[in-house]
Amino acid sequence: MRTRVRIGISKCLLGEPVRYDGGHKLDHFLTETLGKYVEYIPVCPEVECGLPTPREPMHLEGDPDAPRLVTIKTRVDLTDQMSRWAAGRVAELEKEGLMGFIFKSDSPSSGMERVKVYGGKGMPVRKGIGMFARAFMEHFPLLPAEEEGRLHDPAIRENFIERIFALARWRDLLAENSALGGLVAFHTRHKLLVLSHSTRSYREMGRLVADAKRTPLRTILDQYQRLLMDALKLRATPKKNANVLMHMAGYFRRELSSAEKAELVQIIELYRKELVPLIVPITLIKHYVLVYDQKYLKDQQYLNPHPIELQLRNHV
Ligand code: SF4
């Protein structure tokens, strides 16, 4: 991959003391593990929009779809200040070529979902989106976005990281400025990866590429990128992965002995029942791909969607 994998991140997650109380929210997985493979572009909306550290805490209030950002004690309304800054910052971030954003959960500025919104005298509703997070997601609707809390869930973590690396490969393709042949090759390499998320998207993307000659390349590329990012957002369940693995096993029909076939199917079934992690059948299939030099499978990104050192397929 030639494109640097750049991800925006809420600055306090990197251990920077920018929180309202002068503290931080250092996340070790993000800094020490994922940080080896990506370059972070840190953003702290509250500090960058001109507020000091430490500062008075604030919260969202009013209409959950268009809440105000107000300091809790002194009741200063910071909505306009934050909105103006956020509009400028997202425009600036366009130049960074980001492939995603990791937000700090629950923050009235950075939270991506379920942020508390206060109204009237009742309990707050958890229906808000932090002001900067909203501006960012509206400006970059196709970019993967997650919160650090949700990334502790292994399935969500795997899904998010898979999407940012897929987007990096896609950006490589765009940077090559290649013609239709480049798209066809990209699609061929990503077929099984897409299939592990959605059969429908797999078919739709196949149709798009097959009919691509009739439409201007720029339009096709835009449509393909949207379909790709939407497809990868859908969860790759054990059932869907097992179907892809069985499909791959079919490529060794002639080469494997009956005992080897039975063993492979048994391992895939153990994975389908969530008794062993995905890395187990994947390792066996990779072994056969190597031994029998299976060219089509060798190029499938499904076998190497992200750095193996991140151990994203090691959970059950
Ligand atoms: S949650 Fe957002 S606004 Fe708050 S300290 Fe972290 S980066 Fe800054």
Side-chain angles (χ1 to χ4, degrees):
M1 194 158 3
R2 289 178 308 285
T3 306
R4 290 169 90 184
V5 183
R6 284 185 147 182
I7 307 182
I9 189 166
S10 298
K11 198 168 187 172
C12 54
L13 295 174
L14 297 179
E16 297 285 337
V18 287
R19 300 228 333 143
Y20 71 94
D21 57 1
H24 60 74
K25 282 283 173 183
L26 175 66
D27 186 297
H28 290 281
F29 170 75
L30 298 179
T31 51
E32 288 155 33
T33 308
L34 186 59
K36 287 186 192 142
Y37 301 93
V38 304
E39 180 189 349
Y40 288 125
I41 305 296
V43 180
C44 177
E46 291 174 16
V47 169
E48 290 184 34
C49 86
L51 299 172
T53 306
R55 57 189 167 274
E56 187 184 339
M58 58 203 75
H59 67 202
L60 296 175
E61 57 180 56
D63 176 2
D65 292 328
R68 313 288 303 170
L69 181 66
V70 184
T71 60
I72 297 170
K73 249 193 184 165
T74 55
R75 313 278 312 137
V76 179
D77 190 328
L78 296 165
T79 314
D80 294 342
Q81 182 176 341
M82 179 62 83
S83 302
R84 261 196 311 275
W85 169 83
R89 188 67 165 111
V90 292
E92 219 176 83
L93 285 172
E94 272 181 21
K95 293 179 217 127
E96 304 284 5
L98 295 184
M99 278 146 213
F101 204 106
I102 300 173
F103 291 105
K104 169 72 192 74
S105 55
D106 298 326
S107 154
S109 309
S110 302
M112 194 185 105
E113 58 176 33
R114 294 177 42 77
V115 178
K116 285 183 193 161
V117 182
Y118 293 80
K121 291 194 183 96
M123 294 284 284
V125 288
R126 277 199 164 273
K127 286 188 176 172
I129 301 175
M131 287 201 65
F132 170 67
R134 184 190 291 272
F136 183 91
M137 291 190 291
E138 284 176 1
H139 197 84
F140 300 106
L142 291 181
L143 284 191
E146 261 308 344
E147 292 188 332
E148 96 293 356
R150 282 169 49 89
L151 287 175
H152 294 151
D153 177 311
I156 293 175
R157 176 185 290 189
E158 182 187 355
N159 179 281
F160 175 71
I161 295 174
E162 189 181 295
R163 284 187 283 150
I164 58 174
F165 279 93
L167 189 53
R169 291 190 295 273
W170 176 252
R171 295 263 174 90
D172 273 353
L173 173 76
L174 297 184
E176 281 165 13
N177 238 336
S178 67
L180 187 55
L183 174 66
V184 173
F186 180 94
H187 179 63
T188 305
R189 276 190 288 133
H190 287 79
K191 273 185 178 178
L192 297 184
L193 190 67
V194 171
L195 188 59
S196 70
H197 290 269
S198 162
T199 311
R200 211 173 116 191
S201 304
Y202 171 80
R203 292 205 187 107
E204 208 176 333
M205 290 162 77
R207 275 196 300 273
L208 181 76
V209 174
D211 292 344
K213 275 193 188 134
R214 297 188 210 151
T215 315
L217 184 62
R218 190 63 254 172
T219 310
I220 291 291
L221 291 175
D222 286 348
Q223 288 175 357
Y224 188 91
Q225 182 181 343
R226 202 175 49 249
L227 287 173
L228 177 69
M229 296 320 290
D230 285 349
L232 298 186
K233 224 191 263 182
L234 301 168
R235 204 173 148 225
T237 59
K239 192 173 163 216
K240 292 184 205 170
N241 273 318
N243 290 344
V244 172
L245 294 165
M246 286 301 290
H247 178 78
M248 294 176 113
Y251 281 82
F252 302 105
R253 224 173 292 128
R254 277 190 285 276
E255 288 89 349
L256 299 188
S257 68
S258 304
E260 285 169 330
K261 277 185 217 162
E263 185 201 24
L264 181 53
V265 169
Q266 191 195 13
I267 287 175
I268 294 172
E269 283 311 309
L270 287 175
Y271 163 70
R272 196 197 296 268
K273 290 177 188 155
E274 301 182 52
L275 295 171
V276 298
L278 179 55
I279 192 72
V280 175
I282 288 281
T283 304
L284 186 54
I285 288 182
K286 271 181 160 177
H287 168 74
Y288 288 137
V289 167
L290 193 73
V291 168
Y292 298 110
D293 193 25
Q294 217 309 317
K295 296 217 165 26
Y296 175 72
L297 294 186
K298 191 153 67 179
D299 289 340
Q300 284 303 307
Q301 217 64 65
Y302 180 73
L303 292 175
N304 297 295
H306 32 61
I308 195 163
E309 294 81 357
L310 290 172
Q311 303 184 8
L312 298 173
R313 288 172 154 182
N314 297 27
H315 63 92
V316 278

